[in-house]
Every structure is written in C-alpha cells, then in structure tokens.
Amino acid sequence: MIFQTKPLSASGLKSLAKSPEHYHANHLAQDRVRSESDAMLLGSLIHCMILEPEMLGKYAPMPEGMTRRGKAYTDWTEGEGFGRTVITRKMWEKATAISNRVMKNDMAMGFICGTKRGIQVETLFEWSEVHGGHSVKMNGYIDLVNHNTCRILDIKTTSNADNLSKLAQDGRWDIQAVQYMNAMRETWESNCRSPSPRYRMFFLVVEVNSPFRIRAVELSQSAIHSGRTDRDRLVAEYVRRTETGDWTGCDEPAEIEMPNWFSRTLENLNEKY
C-alpha cells in the first residue's frame, strides 16, 4: 500500500491530466490557495437550491440595496450574516431563477425526482482500488445517485451550452464518469457482497445566462472506454509519483509543430514577396 495524504478524487485526476505540477499545486502543496470565484459560488448556490434546499441557511443573501461597504454592511455581517456565505442580491435572484427553471423542466426532474430512500444527494463515497499491486484510496463527492434507476447525475453550470463536446473534453467528463461509476461498483460490491448493477452517468448542463437552457448528456461507450484507459494511466502515474515524491514535469525539450494555418500564411507571404 502506498502512503497517501488524501484519497485520489476526480478533480485530482483532472489536475494530474494537466501535469504533475498542477496536481501538486492544487492538492498537496502546503501553501496552496483555495479561492472561490463568483462563477463557482453561483454554481454551488444553484446546486444547493436544486438538491439540498434545506441547507440554504448556510447562505446569507444581502438585503435589497445593500452594498459591501459601510457600517450597515458591517453590522449585518456581524449579525444576520455572521458565519454564513454572503451572497449578493443579484446572484441570489439569478440562482433562484435558474433553479426554478430546472424544477419546471420535465427532463431534469426525471433525473432528480424519486423516493428519498432510493436517492442520495451530495454524498461522499470512499473506496479502494488495486493498481499495479498497490491499494489506492479513492473518493468521489457525487451530486446525485438514483439507485432506483441506477443513474448518477452531475450538474454542470456554464455560460454557453452550445458545444457540449468541447465542454466535456475541456472538463474531462470522461475521467469523472469512470471515477463515479467505479465508486458505485466498488461500494455496492463491498456492502452487498454481490455483483453491482450497471450504473449510467449523466450530466445535466444548465446555462447561467437567459434563457437558462437545460441539456442532458451521456457520454458514448467509446468515450467511457477511452476515459477508463486514460484514468488507468493517470492512476499508475499517481502511484509512481506518490512513491518517489517527485511531482516535477518533463525535463526534456518538447518538439512541436506550428499550426497548419500558420504554415499556409507563411507560404502565402513567400509567394507574395
């Protein structure tokens, strides 16, 4: 067994897919800075409104007309807003409009609705997998699992849902899907001592700009297969670098090609001059 300071998650695998340095900076470095952008905060708020409305008390929407300065704001943060995540009135109203749109969408609610007994929301799953003779601790914080339909759901917020393939590629949804499907298989077989049913992974993509379009995505089997292959490669690299403690990148020079459009531009210039 390798020594791990923390389990390997989907976000960790995505960081490692960028580079070992990205993984170290985002998940291991003692001086790493955790910050939440407005887009991330809006996404978290939308998740809460849709999946855990009973937890909305952890957010404090600012009163109408209040700004983040002055004695009134200071008094409010030390009173009603104390210990809660402050949300601007504009963000609160936007998140409310988006979540209401989701709640009125039959396709979206088909994923979310079900008996409470058969659904888990915002749940942390932990398990271990054997890779290269090493037991590797894994985890996954999953938005929603519907055990009645064997569906896993992750809600994605975006400013533009036109190009779903690019969103999936840039966000490495393939790695995330494999991580979460493995979570279901490993935890099921560990708890039930029987083969796991086949869980399917869906992404509910919600635009944060009007008209707040909602689209659902399931990756193809070929995308899942390639994601599984790449995930295995990344886990092997994670094991190797965890053993050595070396999270530096490649020291060899990289050979690259110029893009085709650049080469054509040079050819045109040479012909002209």
Side-chain angles (χ1 to χ4, degrees):
M1 178 181 292
I2 59 173
F3 175 75
Q4 294 174 262
T5 57
K6 60 188 301 184
L8 184 58
S9 64
S11 62
L13 287 163
K14 292 178 185 181
S15 292
L16 187 55
K18 292 180 180 179
S19 74
E21 292 98 330
H22 278 87
Y23 180 84
H24 184 270
N26 295 333
H27 301 276
L28 295 179
Q30 295 296 319
D31 59 349
R32 63 186 183 276
V33 178
R34 295 183 177 90
S35 60
E36 190 171 36
S37 66
D38 285 347
M40 294 169 62
L41 183 56
L42 176 62
S44 297
L45 181 56
I46 292 170
H47 274 71
C48 190
M49 286 183 171
I50 295 172
L51 300 175
E52 294 183 300
E54 71 278 4
M55 300 296 292
L56 282 172
K58 64 184 179 181
Y59 296 102
M62 292 169 58
E64 189 73 38
M66 178 176 284
T67 61
R68 292 178 181 267
R69 58 180 179 272
K71 185 176 185 303
Y73 176 71
T74 301
D75 291 342
W76 178 78
T77 56
E78 293 176 351
E80 183 181 342
F82 183 75
R84 301 161 69 192
T85 301
V86 174
I87 303 292
T88 63
R89 175 57 55 178
K90 182 178 180 180
M91 181 180 289
W92 183 268
E93 291 174 350
K94 187 173 191 177
T96 300
I98 294 169
S99 61
N100 286 342
R101 179 71 178 235
V102 172
M103 295 299 186
K104 293 177 181 178
N105 185 281
D106 291 339
M107 176 189 65
M109 295 312 293
F111 288 107
I112 296 170
C113 288
T115 61
K116 289 186 177 180
R117 185 174 181 180
I119 288 184
Q120 291 178 278
V121 298
E122 301 291 358
T123 305
L124 177 65
F125 291 87
E126 297 180 299
W127 71 100
S128 294
E129 298 177 18
V130 176
H131 289 265
H134 297 279
S135 179
V136 182
K137 296 177 183 176
M138 303 280 185
N139 72 10
Y141 198 76
I142 303 179
D143 285 351
L144 184 146
V145 180
N146 189 326
H147 296 288
N148 303 308
T149 59
C150 293
R151 287 178 169 182
I152 308 165
L153 183 71
D154 190 75
I155 299 176
K156 301 289 188 185
T157 51
T158 181
S159 60
N160 190 326
D162 284 343
N163 194 336
L164 294 174
S165 293
K166 187 175 188 306
L167 285 174
Q169 177 182 334
D170 292 347
R172 294 307 309 264
W173 295 0
D174 54 337
I175 291 176
Q176 182 179 358
V178 173
Q179 182 81 350
Y180 288 2
M181 288 190 289
N182 276 22
M184 291 300 97
R185 185 192 69 224
E186 296 294 336
T187 54
W188 176 286
E189 294 181 356
S190 175
N191 294 330
C192 300
R193 306 295 182 184
S194 63
S196 167
R198 177 177 173 266
Y199 279 78
R200 296 165 64 189
M201 177 85 195
F202 294 87
F203 298 89
L204 192 67
V205 185
V206 182
E207 280 187 339
V208 297
N209 296 320
S210 181
F212 310 131
R213 289 185 300 171
I214 301 168
R215 306 182 70 181
V217 174
E218 181 180 19
L219 300 184
S220 68
Q221 285 303 303
S222 61
I224 294 295
H225 177 75
S226 62
R228 189 173 299 281
T229 300
D230 201 30
R231 178 181 178 275
D232 287 344
R233 176 188 66 80
L234 290 169
V235 175
E237 181 173 5
Y238 169 81
V239 169
R240 178 174 63 82
R241 291 187 178 275
T242 299
E243 286 184 309
T244 62
D246 178 14
W247 296 95
T248 57
C250 179
D251 295 327
E252 297 296 323
E255 180 179 313
I256 63 172
E257 297 286 350
M258 298 301 287
N260 290 332
W261 64 264
F262 184 78
S263 299
R264 288 194 297 269
T265 300
L266 288 180
E267 290 174 2
N268 293 335
L269 288 172
N270 290 333
E271 291 175 1
K272 183 176 181 180
Y273 296 103

